[in-house]
Amino acid sequence: MKNWLSPKSMTGIALIAIALIVLPHVVGMGGQAWVRILNFAILYVFLALGLNIVVGFAGLLDLGYIAFYAVGAYCWALLASPHFGLHFPVWAILPIGALMACVFGVLLGSPTLKLRGDYLAIVTLGFGEIIRIFLNNLNSPVNITNGPQGITLIDPVKIGDFSFAGTSQVFGMTMTGPEKYYYLLVALALLVIIINVRLQHSRIGRAWQAIREDEIAAKAVGINTRNIKLLAFAMGASFGGIAGGIFSAMQGFVSPESFSLIESIMVLAMVVLGGMGHIPGVILGAVLLTFLPEVLRYAVTPVQMALFGKILVDPESLRMLVFGLALVLVMRFKPAGLWPSPERSRELSEKPVEAVK
Amino acid sequence: MSNILLQANAVAKHFGGVKALRDVSLSIRRGEVYGLIGPNGAGKTTFFNCMTGLYIPDGGGFTFDGVTLQADAPHRAAELGIARTFQNIRLFGNMTALENVMVGRHVRTKAGVFGAMFLNRATRDEEAAIRQRAVELLHYVDIADRADDLAKNLSYGDQRRLEIARALATEPKLLCLDEPAAGMNATETEELRVLIEGIRKDGTTVLLIEHDVKLVMGLCDRVAVLDYGALVIEDVPAVVQKDQRVIEAYLGA
C-alpha cells in the first residue's frame, strides 16, 4: 500500500486500467452474450466480496447469502417497474436496496449470533430458503411479488436521461447495453474493492478477524462480539443488496428462481476456492467460477464431436460434472484456495509451534 | 478514590453439584501485586472467569473501581479496565504479533465502518496511534523483533509475553494473569518476574494466579489461598507461608 505511487506500480495500474477498458470489446467479438457473462462475473465479484466479509473475515459460515441478493433485486423490481407503477431514480433505489438488505442481515444475525459453525450454517440455509419461498408465495391475498411469474419490465439503470439499456452513442462511440453496464459495473466494483480493502485493514476488520480466530479472547480484550458480528452480517448483506439491485435492472426481470440454494453455494464456492479472506483471491474465484461453466457450455459439444464424432454425454450434465471435478481438484491440491493470503499459505506450509498444555 | 480497586463479595459458583467457589470475598488494593494460589481445582480460574464476565456467578458479585460488574459481559469488564491472559494461551493465531496487540487497542478506540470506508483524517490518525502504541508495547515485553510473525509461530515464552502485551493494550487498571509462568524454565520465569515488577511500577495493579509458590511469594504484596472453592487466608506472604491450613492444603497433612 505504501509505495503504490512508485513508477512500477503506476505502470501496473495503467496496464490494468487499459485491460479493463478494452476487455468488453475483446470479449464482445465472440458475441454480446459474452459481455453479459462478463457483467455477471462482476456481479458475482460483488456478491463474493460481500460474503467474504461474513465468511472470510468474521468466520461465520453463511449458506443463505443469496437471500440478501434477492432482497436487493426485489427492492429494485418493486420500486422501479410498472408492477406498482413506481419509478424511483437509481440514487434512491440502490441505497434503499442496500439498506433493506442490511436490515434483513441484522434480522438474520440477531437471533443466530450465539450459534457457530455448522449450526449457523443450517440456520442461514433455512433463512435463504424462507426468503425464496416468501417471494414465491407473496402474490396472494395481496399481490406483492407476483409469485413465481416474477416481475417484468423493470426499469434499467438511468442517470438523468442516459439509460444503460439498449445501444446508444457515448462520446461518439456506439455502445451496446451490456457494454455500458460493464463500465458501470467496473466503476462500482472498484469502489466495492476499495471499501473492502479499507474495511479489512481497519479497527473493525481486525475485530472481525479476532472473532474468527478466538471468540473468547476477542471478548476478553473488550470486543463486543455481538455487535461486531451483526456488523459483519449487515455489511455483507448490503453488498448483496446492491448487487441484487443492479442484477434486477440489468435483466429487466426477476423471479424467485434466480435465488435458489445453489446460488448461495456457488458464491460460497467462489470465496473458498479463490482464497477465503483474501480479496484478490475472492475476485479471482468469482470470475473463474462464472466463466468456467459458460466456457464449458460452449466447449463440451465441439470437443465431443472432435474426439468421438458424436455426442456421447449430454452437454449439460457433463458440464456440471467437469465443473464439480475442477472444484474437487482445486480443494485437493490448493486447500487454502487458488490465491490465498500470504499468511494463510504460510500457515499451511509452516508447522506451528506446539503449545505446551 | 477508594484504596480498594476490586472487591469480591461472597462470590459463589457451582457446576452441577460441584461447588467451585464458596462465598469467596477478597479485596485487591490499588497498585499491588495480588497473588491467588491454591492446589489444582481449587477454583482459581473459575474466580477469574466470574470476575471477567465469562461465567455468571450463582451468588455474590464484584465491585470494580466503584462500579458493580455486570455478569456475562466480558467486553464491559475490559472497558472498565480489567484485562486478562489465559491459562492455555488464547492468541489470534493467524494474525501477526503486531495485529494481536492492535486488536487490544479496540476497546480504547472508536473508528467505525464509515471511518474505515472514507478514511478521514481522524480515522487515519487513530490508526497510526494504534500502530504506534502496539509497537511500543511489543518493545515493552521485548518481542518487537517478532512483530510481523504470526502469533502461533512464536515460541511458547513469546506467546505468553504477547498475550500480556495484548492485555496491556486495553489500558487496564487491573491486569489478571492466569498462570503466566506455567511451562516456563527458571530463566524465563525470572524474566517474567522482572516484567511483572515493571508493570506494577508503571502503576497497573496485577492479580496473579500461579502455581510457582516461590514466584508468588517473592513478587506479591498480598496473597490469597483458595482450597476446595473456599478462601483459606488472605494476607502478606510471610504470614501465609507459615499458616498451618495452607501447608495442609498444599502438602496434604
Side-chain angles (χ1 to χ4, degrees):
Chain A
M1 285 289 270
K2 270 177 208 149
N3 50 357
W4 69 284
L5 280 174
S6 70
K8 204 174 160 191
S9 55
M10 283 302 265
T11 328
I13 291 171
L15 282 177
I16 292 170
I18 292 170
L20 283 176
I21 291 169
V22 177
L23 192 62
H25 302 287
V26 177
V27 172
M29 285 190 273
Q32 286 298 301
W34 284 102
V35 184
R36 278 201 194 92
I37 294 169
L38 189 60
N39 288 346
F40 270 103
I42 303 174
L43 270 188
Y44 277 113
V45 168
F46 284 24
L47 285 176
L49 284 176
L51 184 62
N52 184 47
I53 293 179
V54 183
V55 178
F57 295 168
L60 306 163
L61 187 50
D62 184 351
L63 284 183
Y65 184 67
I66 214 70
F68 306 123
Y69 186 53
V71 168
Y74 268 84
C75 241
W76 186 296
L78 295 175
L79 293 177
S81 76
H83 182 62
F84 285 147
L86 295 171
H87 297 280
F88 280 52
V90 202
W91 52 263
I93 325 178
L94 267 195
I96 293 176
L99 192 72
M100 279 304 285
C102 178
V103 167
F104 273 84
V106 173
L107 271 181
L108 168 64
S110 33
T112 53
L113 283 174
K114 295 241 165 195
L115 305 176
R116 280 204 71 106
D118 317 358
Y119 303 99
L120 181 66
I122 291 168
V123 174
T124 52
L125 187 148
F127 176 78
E129 285 300 282
I130 288 169
I131 294 285
R132 188 179 62 78
I133 292 166
F134 257 98
L135 293 174
N136 220 354
N137 293 291
L138 273 183
N139 53 350
S140 68
V142 187
N143 188 0
I144 299 174
T145 63
N146 212 21
Q149 280 104 29
I151 294 170
T152 51
L153 297 172
I154 298 167
D155 297 352
V157 179
K158 258 191 209 147
I159 295 173
D161 282 335
F162 181 78
S163 166
F164 280 85
T167 307
S168 63
Q169 294 285 323
V170 185
F171 303 124
M173 271 177 24
T174 311
M175 284 222 281
T176 62
E179 279 167 4
K180 283 186 283 183
Y181 269 115
Y182 168 83
Y183 291 114
L184 175 71
L185 283 166
V186 164
L188 278 176
L190 288 177
L191 199 67
V192 168
I193 292 167
I194 289 172
I195 290 177
N196 265 277
V197 171
R198 286 184 168 183
L199 277 178
Q200 184 178 16
H201 297 287
S202 72
R203 168 175 175 268
I204 302 292
R206 279 191 301 271
W208 283 333
Q209 287 172 51
I211 290 174
R212 181 191 69 198
E213 291 295 317
D214 189 328
E215 197 171 335
I216 289 178
K219 279 182 185 166
V221 293
I223 294 173
N224 185 335
T225 53
R226 194 195 50 170
N227 288 359
I228 294 288
K229 278 191 199 171
L230 265 186
L231 197 58
F233 264 109
M235 289 305 299
S238 312
F239 285 117
I242 291 171
I246 295 171
F247 167 76
S248 210
M250 221 163 73
Q251 293 286 92
F253 168 72
V254 287
S255 79
E257 254 176 65
S258 313
F259 310 107
S260 55
L261 176 61
I262 189 73
E263 290 289 321
S264 282
I265 293 174
M266 277 300 274
V267 179
L268 185 64
M270 289 166 182
V271 174
V272 175
L273 187 110
M276 241 194 291
H278 189 227
I279 292 167
V282 170
I283 296 170
L284 176 73
V287 172
L288 273 186
L289 286 202
T290 319
F291 270 96
L292 190 61
E294 297 302 326
V295 170
L296 286 174
R297 189 201 298 278
Y298 288 96
V300 160
T301 310
V303 167
Q304 284 198 60
M305 288 299 279
L307 283 179
F308 313 111
K310 59 180 179 201
I311 293 170
L312 286 175
V313 190
D314 165 45
E316 197 58 20
S317 43
L318 186 62
R319 178 169 78 100
M320 288 325 277
L321 197 70
V322 173
F323 181 62
L325 188 68
L327 289 190
V328 171
L329 288 178
V330 169
M331 286 295 102
R332 168 65 186 80
F333 294 105
K334 303 271 300 182
L338 287 171
W339 191 357
S341 61
E343 287 92 21
R344 248 185 87 76
S345 37
R346 243 194 299 166
E347 161 195 338
L348 287 168
S349 56
E350 272 177 39
K351 270 200 177 148
V353 177
E354 271 307 314
V356 183
K357 283 277 150 65
Chain B
M1 205 156 76
S2 151
N3 189 30
I4 305 293
L5 182 62
L6 181 104
Q7 176 74 51
N9 301 311
V11 177
K13 175 78 194 170
H14 37 82
F15 300 101
V18 180
K19 291 202 168 110
L21 290 177
R22 305 162 191 240
D23 299 340
V24 175
S25 298
L26 47 83
S27 53
I28 300 175
R29 296 178 193 148
R30 278 175 210 281
E32 71 180 350
V33 175
Y34 189 98
L36 185 60
I37 62 171
N40 279 328
K44 305 181 296 286
T45 299
T46 306
F47 181 80
F48 245 48
N49 286 341
C50 285
M51 186 175 73
T52 50
L54 286 176
Y55 291 162
I56 304 171
D58 295 308
F62 296 89
T63 315
F64 179 75
D65 208 11
V67 184
T68 307
L69 282 185
Q70 209 185 325
D72 197 31
H75 66 273
R76 277 280 295 154
E79 251 170 62
L80 288 171
I82 300 179
R84 68 170 294 177
T85 65
F86 293 86
Q87 193 175 343
N88 43 356
I89 307 179
R90 302 189 84 124
L91 287 166
F92 308 124
N94 293 314
M95 298 170 83
T96 64
L98 184 68
E99 284 169 336
N100 266 272
V101 185
M102 286 170 83
V103 171
R105 294 297 300 154
H106 182 92
V107 71
R108 299 288 169 239
T109 47
K110 54 181 189 299
V113 167
F114 292 103
M117 276 188 208
F118 300 118
L119 268 192
N120 54 347
R121 188 59 189 270
T123 309
R124 274 177 291 150
D125 289 351
E126 187 183 275
E127 191 68 15
I130 291 173
R131 184 171 290 271
Q132 196 198 336
R133 181 75 189 125
V135 171
E136 284 169 15
L137 282 166
L138 285 180
H139 277 288
Y140 186 79
V141 299
D142 212 15
I143 51 169
D145 51 328
R146 309 294 311 263
D148 295 324
D149 289 330
L150 293 188
K152 66 174 180 195
N153 292 338
L154 297 187
S155 72
Y156 182 72
D158 286 351
Q159 288 191 359
R160 285 265 179 228
R161 284 167 173 273
L162 178 56
E163 225 190 357
I164 293 173
R166 186 182 66 185
L168 286 174
T170 66
E171 292 173 20
K173 291 176 190 147
L174 176 64
L175 176 67
C176 310
L177 305 173
D178 197 347
E179 297 199 17
M184 283 189 169
N185 62 31
T187 329
E188 286 169 327
T189 307
E190 175 54 23
E191 285 168 358
L192 180 75
R193 198 187 61 75
V194 173
L195 179 63
I196 297 173
E197 287 279 11
I199 292 170
R200 178 198 9 211
K201 208 171 286 166
D202 293 340
T204 308
T205 310
V206 179
L207 168 59
L208 180 68
I209 289 187
E210 192 45 71
H211 263 310
D212 190 326
V213 177
K214 216 176 88 193
L215 177 70
V216 171
M217 296 303 174
L219 192 58
C220 295
D221 300 299
R222 289 191 307 144
V223 176
V225 182
L226 283 181
D227 192 24
Y228 291 109
L231 184 71
V232 177
I233 185 174
E234 179 190 34
D235 214 322
V236 293
V239 176
V240 171
Q241 263 171 314
K242 296 202 181 90
D243 190 274
Q244 198 52 41
R245 291 165 299 175
V246 176
I247 296 167
E248 275 171 24
Y250 263 96
L251 303 175

